[in-house]
Amino acid sequence: MSKLTEMKGTIQRMSRYFPWYKDQIDVEQELSAVRLDRLPLVTASVLEAHYYIENNPLAQCGELNRYQTSGTSSKRRKAIYYSESDEEAYLRIKLDIFRTILGPNGFQSAMADMGTGHAEATAVEVFRRLNMEVESLSFQLPIEKHIERLTSFRPEVFYTMPSILERILLASDDPTAYGIRHVILVGEIASPGWIKRVSERMCIGMEQITDTYGSIEIGTIAYFSHQHGRYLLAEGLIGEGISPEKLGEELEPLKNEDEQVLVLTSTVRESFPALRYVTYDVVRDLRTIMVDDKPRQTFQSIVKRIGPDLKHGEKISIYDIEDVVYRHLGNASVRVKVVGNALRVYVYSVTETSLVLESIRYDLENCIPEIGLMIRAGILEGIQVIWAPFEDSQLRSSVKGKKIGYE
C-alpha cells in the first residue's frame, strides 16, 4: 500500500471517528491532494477540548479498551482508547521491534518490571508470543521484592524503566547475579552516559541495553538501533519536526538548530486522533536514512519535553544533565528540581559523593549552553548539586523520576 493511499485512509478514518476533526478540514479537498502540512496540528489544547473530556463518545463504546496516562506531567490522569484493530497493530509492531532487538539469541525468559498503562498491560503478552517464560512485577513493590524475584527467576531479558533499574542497581551488591543478558528500556529518557554506567554495573555491553520510545497515545514510536546509532521510527508512523513557535502556545524557540518538536501521524491508529499529533518531545537530528535499502525516518536522541505548563522545561534537558553527571559517577540516581529560581540536581547514591559534586556543578554550568545562558541572564540563580543517601522509599513514590520537579 502506497503512502498516499495510507494517508487518505487515515484522513477518512479520523473524520469518521472524530466528527469534531471533520469540522476543522475540507475532507474532499484534503483527499484530492494530500499534504500533511495543510492539515491542522492536534495539540494539547485540541485534545483537552475534544478528547480528554468526560463525555467523550468513545467512552460509551463497549468494544474499546480504555487506558489511563500516569498523570506525571499534567497532574491528572487522562483516558486513551484502543479499538480491537489498534490493539492488534500495537502488539504486531511491538512484537516485530522486540524480535529485531533480541535477534536470534535464543532467549528463554523475560521479566517485565514496569509502571502502569498500556506498556505494562501488554508486556507479558508480547513476551509470550515470543515463546518466552515471563513474569511481571509492579514498580510499587519495595526494592527488596524486586531483587528477590530477580534472584529467583533470573530472567535473561529485563524490560523496565530507567528509574526502576536505578533503584535496583543502587540496592544490589552484585547485579550480575540476576543473569540478565539484555535490558530493554521504555518510558523515560536514557542518555548515553547513563547507559554506559549501567552496562558497567551489569557487566554487559552497551549494545545489550536497548532504549525504546513510545507513548500511550501512539504506542511504540521508535527504538534505538545500535547498528545505525540512531532511533528508528516504528512501522505505520510518519514523523515531522516543527519549531515550538508554530504551536501557537507562546513557547520559546529552541536554541539548537538541529532540535525540533516531534509531530506524528499514524496510519494504523483508529481511536485516537493521531493525525499530526504533537508529542511535545524534542528530538535531535530528525532525518531519513537508508535501512536495508529502504528509507527510514530516524533521529539521534530525545532530549527533553516542552509544554505550556513546564516553566523552564523548554530550556532544561534531563538528557544533557544526566550525561554530565554520569561522566563523574557510576552507581547513582539523579533527580532535578527547580526551586524558585534555583536549579537543584539531587544525586542519590549508597556512598558519599561530595568530592565530585563541585566538578559536576561546574560542568553543568559550562557544558550545557542553555543552562549557562539562563544563569547569565538571571533566569536561574545558579545550580546546586546535592548528595543524598539512597532511600528506596523516596525514589519509588513516583513511577517516573526522570522529569523536572517544581517547588
Side-chain angles (χ1 to χ4, degrees):
M1 185 183 296
S2 70
K3 287 289 184 185
L4 181 60
T5 302
E6 288 182 335
M7 277 305 306
K8 286 184 176 181
T10 300
I11 293 172
Q12 290 172 326
R13 192 166 59 249
M14 292 301 103
S15 300
R16 184 171 64 252
Y17 263 82
F18 308 107
W20 54 266
Y21 184 83
K22 184 178 179 180
D23 293 340
Q24 297 185 29
I25 64 172
D26 184 329
V27 177
E28 295 303 320
Q29 180 181 347
E30 298 302 338
L31 288 176
S32 65
V34 176
R35 278 184 51 185
L36 266 182
D37 59 359
R38 291 199 320 196
L39 296 171
L41 293 166
V42 177
T43 61
S45 59
V46 170
L47 292 171
E48 291 286 354
H50 299 290
Y51 192 89
Y52 301 134
I53 54 177
E54 291 184 8
N55 59 342
N56 188 336
L58 295 180
Q60 310 306 317
C61 298
E63 69 272 17
L64 297 182
N65 290 325
R66 179 176 181 269
Y67 300 95
Q68 287 188 301
T69 63
S70 64
T72 299
S73 300
S74 65
K75 310 299 182 185
R76 180 170 64 86
R77 302 189 74 185
K78 301 171 183 176
I80 312 291
Y81 298 91
Y82 273 70
S83 67
E84 183 177 344
S85 176
D86 286 331
E87 295 285 11
E88 290 174 356
Y90 177 93
L91 287 170
R92 183 187 72 252
I93 291 167
K94 193 165 188 174
L95 199 56
D96 288 344
I97 287 176
F98 276 31
R99 283 198 184 102
T100 301
I101 289 172
L102 299 175
N105 292 305
F107 294 115
Q108 301 295 315
S109 60
M111 178 173 284
D113 193 344
M114 301 291 295
T116 59
H118 201 203
E120 183 272 337
T122 55
V124 171
E125 177 63 20
V126 169
F127 284 117
R128 282 177 178 161
R129 292 193 185 190
L130 290 171
N131 298 315
M132 298 171 69
E133 184 182 359
V134 59
E135 285 195 6
S136 180
L137 281 176
S138 167
F139 82 97
Q140 295 174 317
L141 291 172
I143 202 63
E144 293 79 14
K145 294 294 183 182
H146 293 251
I147 290 173
E148 179 183 306
R149 292 307 306 140
L150 283 168
T151 303
S152 173
F153 186 56
R154 290 179 55 84
E156 294 175 297
V157 178
F158 192 43
Y159 183 45
T160 191
M161 299 173 65
S163 291
I164 296 174
L165 185 54
E166 281 180 354
R167 291 168 52 207
I168 291 169
L169 294 180
L170 281 166
S172 300
D173 294 326
D174 180 16
T176 64
Y178 309 139
I180 297 168
R181 294 169 52 200
H182 202 115
V183 175
I184 302 177
L185 300 169
V186 71
E188 297 174 295
I189 287 173
S191 70
W194 184 89
I195 290 176
K196 183 175 185 295
R197 292 298 191 180
V198 168
S199 72
E200 291 169 351
R201 281 280 291 154
M202 300 184 73
C203 294
I204 58 177
M206 289 181 66
E207 66 277 8
Q208 270 73 60
I209 301 176
T210 304
D211 189 30
T212 66
Y213 163 49
S215 74
I216 194 170
E217 293 87 357
I218 298 292
T220 303
I221 295 171
Y223 71 96
F224 187 81
S225 166
H226 290 281
Q227 177 184 353
H228 299 93
R230 303 178 62 80
Y231 287 82
L232 309 185
L233 252 61
E235 172 197 338
L237 290 179
I238 301 169
E240 300 174 76
I242 66 171
S243 62
E245 305 94 283
K246 292 183 179 180
L247 299 179
E249 296 174 345
E250 299 183 356
L251 296 172
E252 294 187 19
L254 297 167
K255 300 299 183 184
N256 293 339
E257 292 183 0
D258 63 344
E259 292 183 355
Q260 295 174 298
V261 180
L262 183 64
V263 173
L264 293 173
T265 293
S266 171
T267 61
V268 299
R269 195 75 162 89
E270 280 190 344
S271 50
F272 181 81
L275 187 52
R276 301 199 81 199
Y277 162 65
V278 180
T279 66
Y280 293 91
D281 290 323
V282 176
V283 297
R284 284 183 184 154
D285 192 25
L286 177 67
R287 58 186 169 91
T288 299
I289 67 170
M290 297 302 293
V291 177
D292 298 329
D293 298 322
K294 296 180 181 178
R296 289 284 296 272
Q297 286 190 293
T298 71
F299 54 85
Q300 177 189 322
S301 56
I302 315 151
V303 293
K304 55 190 168 186
R305 187 172 179 82
I306 65 169
D309 299 325
L310 295 183
K311 302 179 184 177
H312 300 309
E314 70 274 13
K315 306 182 187 74
I316 299 172
S317 166
I318 299 291
Y319 178 94
D320 290 333
I321 289 174
E322 285 203 339
D323 221 26
V324 167
V325 172
Y326 288 109
R327 291 176 201 165
H328 296 272
L329 294 174
N331 198 22
S333 181
V334 178
R335 297 292 182 269
V336 180
K337 289 185 178 181
V338 175
V339 183
N341 284 333
L343 181 66
R344 290 182 183 173
V345 178
Y346 292 89
V347 178
Y348 297 89
S349 65
V350 176
T351 56
E352 172 68 66
T353 58
S354 59
L355 293 178
V356 299
L357 296 186
E358 179 57 29
S359 297
I360 292 172
R361 187 199 63 77
Y362 179 86
D363 283 356
L364 289 174
E365 289 188 1
N366 292 278
C367 296
I368 303 178
E370 291 80 5
I371 290 178
L373 285 170
M374 290 171 71
I375 292 172
R376 289 190 292 275
I379 298 172
L380 285 177
E381 293 176 355
I383 299 177
Q384 301 171 349
V385 182
I386 302 167
W387 173 82
F390 168 63
E391 292 287 347
D392 181 64
S393 59
Q394 296 178 10
L395 297 183
R396 73 167 183 261
S397 59
S398 173
V399 62
K400 290 186 178 182
K402 296 180 181 295
K403 61 184 186 297
I404 299 170
Y406 296 92
E407 291 183 3

